[in-house]
């Protein structure tokens, strides 16, 4: 009896199917790991910034720092609308945004003002040097001088903002607009990230520094 050699079409198709399944599992796993890393980076940045506020509270006192932050805001801020950003070579490059970014008085600009106060504390200067370079960026437009201090980005390359103790207004949860602003449980100012979609208004994926 002649012995059969080689593989049948069914066997080849089975092997291909197994390879495709494994490749799909690897792709899904890689995406999950990437999303998890970005989320972890975001939380780490928020906690680092919260730690800088704590250092200033230790140098002054918590009540004074709370008043200092609240004084930056003439009213409870609404979620800022971010232009699309290209992150390249340590700079944020404006895209589809004719005006200089950020505009004066918006939450990103006010956060930069706060950082000027925070890095006046020596220990905060040391902490700033230890933050990931990609997430501590200058903004530069054509012919403009880079901002100093820099803007702080979350793991999704969106600016992190400081929110006064009055909270962040105009946020929706599960598609429902919230009647009251999002506030910290301890009544203090806090830092916020807009999450993967970069939109504070759709607040289901927002990340706040008061969260664990």
């Amino acid at each position: 009896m002649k012995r059969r050699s080689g593989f049948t079409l069914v066997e080849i198709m089975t092997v291909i199917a197994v390879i495709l399944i494994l490749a799909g599992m690897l792709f899904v796993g890689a995406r999950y790991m990437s999303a998890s890393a970005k989320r972890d980076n975001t939380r780490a940045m928020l906690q680092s910034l919260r730690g800088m506020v704590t250092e200033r509270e230790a140098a002054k006192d918590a009540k004074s720092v709370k008043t200092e932050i609240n004084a930056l805001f003439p009213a409870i801020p609404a979620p800022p609308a971010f232009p699309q950003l290209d992150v390249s070579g340590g700079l944020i490059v404006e895209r589809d945004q004719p005006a200089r970014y950020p505009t004066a008085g918006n939450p990103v600009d006010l956060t930069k003002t706060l950082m000027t106060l925070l890095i006046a504390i020596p220990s905060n200067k040391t902490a700033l040097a230890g933050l990931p370079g990609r997430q501590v960026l200058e903004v530069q437009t054509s012919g403009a001088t880079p901002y100093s201090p820099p803007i702080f980005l979350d793991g999704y390359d969106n600016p992190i903002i400081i929110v006064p103790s009055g909270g962040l207004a105009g946020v929706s949860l599960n598609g429902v607009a919230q009647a009251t602003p999002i506030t910290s449980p301890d009544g203090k100012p806090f830092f916020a990230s807009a999450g993967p979609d970069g939109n504070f208004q759709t607040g289901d994926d927002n990340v706040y520094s008061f969260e664990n």
Side-chain angles (χ1 to χ4, degrees):
M1 187 174 179
K2 197 170 183 179
R3 189 172 181 180
R4 180 174 66 86
S5 60
F7 298 98
T8 66
L9 180 60
V10 173
E11 290 171 333
I12 293 174
M13 294 299 291
T14 300
V15 171
I16 292 174
V18 170
I19 292 174
L20 290 176
I21 291 172
L22 292 175
M25 292 173 64
L26 182 61
F27 176 74
V28 171
R31 287 191 62 182
Y32 174 81
M33 290 179 64
S34 176
S36 179
K38 290 178 179 180
R39 185 169 56 250
D40 290 344
N41 286 346
T42 297
R43 294 193 183 281
M45 283 296 292
L46 291 172
Q47 293 308 314
S48 293
L49 294 175
R50 177 61 248 180
M52 291 185 185
V53 173
T54 301
E55 288 294 322
R56 187 162 180 86
E57 289 174 341
K60 300 184 68 176
D61 64 83
K63 186 176 180 180
S64 295
V65 174
K66 179 178 177 178
T67 301
E68 196 172 53
I69 294 173
N70 287 340
L72 297 174
F73 295 85
I76 295 175
F82 292 145
Q84 289 198 306
L85 304 177
D86 270 336
V87 179
S88 174
L91 297 174
I92 304 177
V93 181
E94 297 187 76
R95 184 175 69 215
D96 302 326
Q97 179 74 4
R100 182 170 172 141
Y101 176 80
T103 56
N106 76 11
V108 179
D109 192 57
L110 297 177
T111 302
K112 281 174 33 57
T113 301
L114 170 66
M115 292 313 301
T116 303
L117 302 176
L118 296 184
I119 62 176
I121 307 299
S123 57
N124 283 342
K125 287 186 178 180
T126 303
L128 178 64
L131 294 177
R134 178 180 173 82
Q135 291 173 251
V136 184
L137 303 181
E138 294 176 333
V139 171
Q140 184 173 358
T141 58
S142 178
T145 302
Y147 284 105
S148 180
I151 284 176
F152 293 83
L153 302 185
D154 59 20
Y156 310 99
D157 293 334
N158 293 313
I160 290 172
I161 64 169
I162 183 69
V163 180
S165 59
L168 186 66
V171 176
S172 297
L173 295 178
N174 299 317
V176 179
Q178 300 299 291
T180 58
I182 301 295
T183 58
S184 170
D186 60 9
K188 291 184 176 183
F190 59 93
F191 291 92
S193 156
D197 64 1
N199 189 337
F200 278 102
Q201 292 181 335
T202 54
D204 296 316
D205 59 357
N206 292 355
V207 188
Y208 304 111
S209 59
F210 57 76
E211 298 174 319
N212 294 325

